[in-house]
Amino acid sequence: AQSVAQPEDQVNVAEGNPLTVKCTYSVSGNPYLFWYVQYPNRGLQFLLKYITGDNLVKGSYGFEAEFNKSQTSFHLKKPSALVSDSALYFCAVSPFTGGGNKLTFGTGTQLKVEL
Amino acid sequence: DAMVIQNPRYQVTQFGKPVTLSCSQTLNHNVMYWYQQKSSQAPKLLFHYYDKDFNNEADTPDNFQSRRPNTSFCFLDIRSPGLGDAAMYLCATSREGQNTDTQYFGPGTRLTVL
């Protein structure tokens, strides 16, 4: 069975500082990994995904994520946080074989960026 | 812009009164999904359609049904809503349902059960 873990319920960071939101995964075979962001009372917005190739994936709104196979991690990063980045972030994994496009989500990390 | 649209954004129903939530898409994607999301929890997949083929998750209660009359529209029917069904319901689409496909989400419908 596949799973993702987001070990931090909340991350606080000052505006202008770099941010990291952590995600670790457990899958059979190669992982397909996704990051989504959710603003209050809104749907999920796709940020980026890792399928294969470069370990550093660049996505929307200046976000990037680093795939680390040895540590089974896919942490989301941004060099300089904005107050408008404050939202709920979900990491998700899709099965390598079978199962279609059925995403398994982590429990989410609330990011709070303060002035 | 191509998008996923959900109506209504907010729905209030009474305990036991059937309710239907609507989703439409202009992306022309083959796959449509329905998720339930409770209070800042992870979204939970209820079922999905690949074209007209319906795929129910094993733990989705019978109280939840779905219809997809055409490529663009998909409906979620809750036959007898209970207080525990109050949640955000998210519709999503993907092009072919392959493991590498991105899912695109609508804004959600927040259901309140009185």
Side-chain angles (χ1 to χ4, degrees), chain B residues 53-73:
Chain B
D53 292 333
F54 178 70
N55 298 272
N56 198 29
E57 292 301 297
D59 57 354
T60 297
D62 292 341
N63 197 28
F64 292 87
Q65 305 285 320
S66 185
R67 297 169 284 136
R68 188 178 185 187
N70 54 53
T71 300
S72 300
F73 284 87

Side-chain angles (χ1 to χ4, degrees), chain A residues 2-115:
Chain A
Q2 60 188 32
S3 65
V4 291
Q6 294 181 243
E8 301 158 317
D9 290 337
Q10 181 160 322
V11 170
N12 296 323
V13 65
E15 187 175 53
N17 283 0
L19 69 87
T20 298
V21 182
K22 295 180 180 178
C23 173
T24 59
Y25 65 88
S26 175
V27 299
S28 299
N30 294 326
Y32 301 131
L33 296 159
F34 300 78
W35 274 104
Y36 285 86
V37 59
Q38 186 176 32
Y39 295 95
N41 291 312
R42 301 297 299 274
L44 277 68
Q45 294 180 32
F46 170 72
L47 285 178
L48 51 81
K49 66 182 178 182
Y50 173 81
I51 303 302
T52 187
D54 290 341
N55 290 339
L56 186 64
V57 179
K58 294 188 182 296
S60 305
Y61 313 120
F63 284 93
E64 57 190 27
E66 186 168 10
F67 172 67
N68 187 317
K69 189 171 184 177
S70 63
Q71 297 185 4
T72 63
S73 67
F74 189 55
H75 300 333
L76 182 69
K77 300 181 180 184
K78 188 174 183 181
S80 179
L82 299 172
V83 171
S84 57
D85 293 329
S86 299
L88 185 60
Y89 290 79
F90 288 100
C91 181
V93 64
S94 182
F96 178 62
T97 58
N101 188 211
K102 291 168 64 171
L103 293 176
T104 299
F105 287 90
T107 51
T109 298
Q110 186 71 47
L111 173 68
K112 187 174 182 181
V113 182
E114 299 166 312
L115 290 171

